[in-house]
Amino acid sequence: MDMRPTLRNCSVAVLGIVAALCGPAAAQDYAKYRVLDAKVIKDMWTSAGQKAALLSPDGSRVLHLNGREFCLLAPAQIGPWAKIACAQSTPENRPGEAADMFWSPAGSQLLMPTYRNGLEAFRDTDIRLFDPTTFAVRNLTEDNFDDSFLGGKGPANLDVLGHWIDSDTVVFIRYAIPEGGFKQGVSTSLMTVGVGGGDPHLAFEFASKSRFRIWAMTASADGKQIAYSVADKDNADKAGIYLLKLGEATPKRVAAMSDTGQPSGLAFSADGKFLLLLGRTVDGLDAKVVDLASGEIMPVDRVQNVVGVAWSPSGSALAYITYDRTNADMPGGLFLAEAPGKPARLLIGGGFFPTVCCGQQPLTWASNDTMIIAQLGDKIGSVLFVKLGQ
């Protein structure tokens, strides 16, 4: 059952014991939004390597990773950022770089990341789930292969780029690597798997059998559409950003790679009208938005250096962080645009960064209109918990 349209807009009690029943929220007037409150969470190192802080979709909890330990925190229900539980990390549950460690829509578990190990280090990854209450990891697609794919190793399944369709189902890319290794050509499939277990199911078979072509993928909030990027230096007419409606056989290219570059992260707006493209640069992000109706491509900010971006929990407003290390007096801040292409307003100035390295996935703007951002400069090692509203 797809619970996302409901749970994105209602409050869930600590540990999910009691959930409030509610319907989808009315569209917000983000043009009037401002910072209602901002609280500092001290001694929370984030934004680098294995140090990260992940806000749950409803804003009720934060999972903090400091490389050696996990801590689950709650900001409201049981006190001011009280620790619910902490545990030492182990080789089995340590995520590494947590850029693509995503909470489920219901906030009950997280996907373990795959991008760094699978697509940068070319080591085997599986689709695994992290339980934030027990800190245990469960493997959904174990293939009994745990090694590097370099040197002609195989056969094995490289399962990467997992995203939630709903709280019960994960969609992901499977590269089937034959005996003799990936240089022999790999079959590429879009797969789904239920969190309760069982065999994965084929959702779509990509036509070409070649090297790794898909480096970014995401699912829409309603779980009905998939967006993915195809990198193909030898065929510019095929490279680009595609949309696929689950259950249909023909994807649609909505942008050419020559116009977008090769993003490492994609994200739909909550209303499904826009697609955010994020790629790393030397100092920040190449952050663009594609209007899926018109095909127009626009930068998140035409002037400032963007380091983090968040979609609003409803509609298509953009909050984003800018940072200029050369400007000590005004290094940047948190900005809000009521829609892509609209003028942005400064909400709060200062030196900020995402709480997860390194910006290729969006920040979380929770359904209770909160977000967390890491502080820099003389406040480094702390996080700002920001409450937005009218």
Side-chain angles (χ1 to χ4, degrees):
M1 179 175 64
D2 186 351
M3 301 177 70
R4 181 174 296 194
T6 304
L7 289 172
R8 283 179 63 89
N9 299 289
C10 58
S11 177
V12 181
V14 174
L15 304 185
I17 298 173
V18 179
L21 297 177
C22 63
Q28 299 294 320
D29 184 0
Y30 291 110
K32 298 179 181 179
Y33 262 46
R34 58 189 176 87
V35 174
L36 300 180
D37 193 16
K39 291 183 172 66
V40 175
I41 312 171
K42 296 182 178 180
D43 300 322
M44 185 177 284
W45 290 85
T46 64
S47 309
Q50 298 184 33
K51 295 180 174 63
L54 304 166
L55 182 67
S56 65
D58 68 342
S60 69
R61 287 169 292 165
V62 167
L63 180 67
H64 180 223
L65 298 72
N66 68 10
R68 304 176 306 276
E69 183 183 55
F70 299 97
C71 282
L72 188 64
L73 298 88
Q77 287 86 347
I78 60 175
W81 291 99
K83 292 181 178 179
I84 299 173
C86 293
Q88 294 295 308
S89 62
T90 67
E92 288 73 28
N93 68 10
R94 189 175 297 126
E97 189 175 296
D100 51 333
M101 190 174 184
F102 303 123
W103 282 91
S104 66
S108 57
Q109 50 198 332
L110 299 93
L111 280 166
M112 291 290 279
T114 60
Y115 188 93
R116 174 70 182 91
N117 281 345
L119 295 178
E120 291 184 347
F122 291 102
R123 292 194 61 86
D124 179 65
T125 57
D126 300 311
I127 302 304
R128 298 179 298 152
L129 299 180
F130 181 91
D131 187 325
T133 60
T134 64
F135 307 105
V137 171
R138 185 162 55 93
N139 196 324
L140 297 180
T141 63
E142 176 64 71
D143 61 355
N144 297 311
F145 183 92
D146 185 17
D147 204 346
S148 169
F149 288 108
L150 302 176
K153 295 178 181 177
N157 291 323
L158 176 60
D159 295 335
V160 293
L161 303 177
H163 281 270
W164 297 95
I165 291 180
D166 54 53
S167 287
D168 299 318
T169 314
V170 176
V171 64
F172 63 96
I173 297 292
R174 167 167 287 180
Y175 290 112
I177 299 174
E179 187 172 355
F182 64 87
K183 291 184 179 180
Q184 310 299 317
V186 299
S187 298
T188 308
S189 305
L190 184 72
M191 309 290 293
T192 61
V193 65
V195 300
D199 293 332
H201 298 284
L202 177 67
F204 184 76
E205 184 76 36
F206 297 93
S208 62
K209 184 175 182 180
S210 59
R211 304 281 181 91
F212 303 102
R213 298 294 191 200
I214 298 175
W215 294 79
M217 188 267 286
T218 192
S220 60
D222 61 8
K224 295 180 180 179
Q225 290 194 98
I226 301 297
Y228 60 94
S229 69
V230 174
D232 192 341
K233 295 179 180 179
D234 300 324
N235 193 337
D237 291 336
K238 289 188 177 180
I241 309 300
Y242 286 79
L243 286 186
L244 173 67
K245 292 183 179 180
L246 288 176
E248 296 188 0
T250 306
K252 174 186 177 183
R253 193 173 78 155
V254 295
M257 195 67 75
S258 57
D259 296 325
T260 65
Q262 183 175 312
S264 52
L266 304 171
F268 282 96
S269 59
D271 58 13
K273 295 180 180 180
F274 298 91
L275 186 67
L276 176 65
L277 284 59
L278 298 173
R280 294 182 183 180
T281 66
V282 174
D283 297 318
L285 293 174
D286 178 16
K288 299 183 179 76
V289 174
V290 180
D291 184 326
L292 296 177
S294 68
E296 180 184 2
I297 302 169
M298 63 199 90
V300 169
D301 192 295
R302 296 183 183 277
V303 178
Q304 301 184 92
N305 181 48
V306 176
V307 295
V309 188
W311 283 119
S312 55
S314 64
S316 51
L318 280 170
Y320 61 92
I321 302 169
T322 66
Y323 184 67
D324 180 0
R325 66 178 71 249
T326 66
N327 190 341
D329 293 331
M330 184 54 184
L334 177 65
F335 289 79
L336 174 62
E338 60 181 297
K342 297 285 188 179
R345 296 179 292 110
L346 177 64
L347 296 180
I348 184 169
F352 305 116
F353 227 68
T355 60
V356 182
C357 182
C358 293
Q360 80 249 38
Q361 294 297 335
L363 308 169
T364 297
W365 181 343
S367 60
N368 66 351
D369 282 327
T370 62
M371 62 180 63
I372 56 173
I373 50 179
Q375 299 194 108
L376 300 178
D378 58 359
K379 299 177 181 178
I380 193 168
S382 62
V383 165
L384 196 64
F385 176 68
V386 179
K387 172 67 177 177
L388 303 177
Q390 300 184 42

